[in-house]
Amino acid sequence: MPNTGVIARGIVTPIFKQGDDLIALICDSLFNAAERDGFTLNHGDIVAVTEAVVGRTQGNYATCSQIAQDIRAKFGGGTLGIVFPILSRNRFATVLTAIAQGCDNLIIQLSYPADEVGNKLLDISACDEKNVNPYTDSFTEAQFREIFGMNTIHTFTGIDYIEYYKSLAPGCAIVFSNDPTHILRYSNNVLCCDIHTRMRTQARIKKAGGYCLRLDEIMTGPVSGSGYSEYGLLGSNKATEDSVKLFPRDTKPFVTSLQAELKRRTGQTLEVMVYGDGGFKDPVGGIWELADPAISPAYTEGLSGTPNELKIKYIADNDLADVSGDELTEKIRDRIRNKDMNLVGRMTAEGTTPRRIHDLVGSLCDLVSGSGDRGTPVVLVQNYFKNYADN
């Protein structure tokens, strides 16, 4: 298809279960789709596999009691403070239940007006109306309710996460502050539950004298037969009311093995990656999709690096403003063929943000596969490395 650019195909697969031969089933699904839908697998194609099916086939699960055991072993029971958990039934509710079982008293510190990924307790305008400075002002739950009232229902889920989290951790206390060291007024033992800001949060609490661990330091090894992950509890999802599926482990050997099997079957070198949440933000609700610790925990070598691309419209509007038609087309293609290998800082690359290739492809795949009922946990991306000059 010489006039077609990037193609992303969701590949229908069986419903994967623990112990399945994931590599064989993915290859079978790809070849079945190619035969039925009339396409071929080519050199440079990308096969992306959602982290969920890798973790499921590994049996990478942990129960609340196993998580609680690890929490208690690392903090010694007593009073525990947690800071900046996101507001999510899928991502944190079961984890919170387990944390509450792993200590004697629990203090939950929520950020406001929204969590780290944009889930709102209230609109920022409410802070302006009440003369509240979220950067400096901290509150108990009673103080928070007195100022802002009971209107803290999440726009999309219809859940009041303050009340919901209290129901999961009976007897807990909830406070509100964007200063991570505020939690030290209640407990010197602290678990950082934020995702992308966790290193800074932990460093500030430690500097202030607290004993502090992060979610990615919990469940990093098996506990009473549990699964485990190098990311600990980060990236986990609710599996049942009493268990979570952890972010998959050993993902680098998996992508290497799948690439080798695809080459054995096709004779071509395809790139392979495992992907989770995409790196994009909803413009209406303001929610950042990326609740996983990484968009892609593992990928083959061809997906390393960043794009090195010219901005075609900039060249056409500036350098070649007096050229048109076939001459313009050929001159643009010639510029692409002869571009420098490093365009950083050049105006001709203006607007082509050099994000990492595996982050870009992983975000594309998350949008294609979705997280609902499409049944396509494998995505085939073709022509990704093709450009205008290749035509």
Side-chain angles (χ1 to χ4, degrees), residues 131-151:
N131 294 317
V132 168
N133 185 342
Y135 296 102
T136 59
D137 296 342
S138 303
F139 306 102
T140 64
E141 183 186 353
Q143 292 168 333
F144 189 84
R145 289 297 196 190
E146 182 179 358
I147 294 170
F148 296 110
M150 298 298 293
N151 188 23

Side-chain angles (χ1 to χ4, degrees), residues 233-248:
L233 287 173
L234 280 182
S236 63
N237 288 270
K238 180 178 182 177
T240 69
E241 294 299 325
D242 188 54
S243 66
V244 296
K245 181 198 66 61
L246 301 171
F247 216 54

Side-chain angles (χ1 to χ4, degrees), residues 200-360:
R200 181 170 182 257
T201 298
Q202 183 186 45
R204 291 181 65 186
I205 292 171
K206 283 187 171 182
K207 185 177 181 180
Y211 173 72
C212 185
L213 297 176
R214 308 181 307 268
L215 279 181
D216 57 334
E217 295 176 301
I218 308 297
M219 302 305 296
T220 55
V223 176
S224 299
S226 74
Y228 60 95
S229 170
E230 65 180 288
Y231 292 102
L233 287 173
L234 280 182
S236 63
N237 288 270
K238 180 178 182 177
T240 69
E241 294 299 325
D242 188 54
S243 66
V244 296
K245 181 198 66 61
L246 301 171
F247 216 54
R249 61 179 185 268
D250 302 326
T251 48
K252 186 62 176 179
F254 168 76
V255 297
T256 302
S257 297
L258 179 53
Q259 183 183 54
E261 180 62 13
L262 287 167
K263 184 160 190 177
R264 186 187 72 80
R265 293 200 188 190
T266 66
Q268 306 290 332
T269 299
L270 285 74
E271 304 300 335
V272 178
M273 71 183 301
V274 174
Y275 70 95
D277 285 340
F280 45 85
K281 184 176 182 178
D282 174 63
V284 177
I287 296 174
W288 189 25
E289 172 68 13
L290 187 56
D292 282 328
I295 294 174
S296 175
Y299 46 89
T300 50
E301 186 58 33
L303 297 172
S304 298
T306 59
N308 186 59
E309 299 177 350
L310 293 171
K311 193 76 168 180
I312 291 178
K313 66 181 182 181
Y314 178 87
I315 298 171
D317 289 345
N318 290 271
D319 299 4
L320 302 175
D322 297 328
V323 183
S324 61
D326 291 342
E327 182 184 2
L328 175 61
T329 297
E330 189 51 43
K331 285 184 177 294
I332 291 288
R333 288 176 173 168
D334 186 65
R335 290 284 292 271
I336 293 172
R337 293 187 192 103
N338 296 289
K339 65 186 176 184
D340 291 341
M341 290 299 98
N342 186 355
L343 295 170
V344 174
R346 307 286 185 87
M347 286 301 293
T348 50
E350 179 185 20
T352 57
T353 307
R355 289 173 287 181
R356 299 181 299 183
I357 292 171
H358 55 274
D359 287 341
L360 291 164

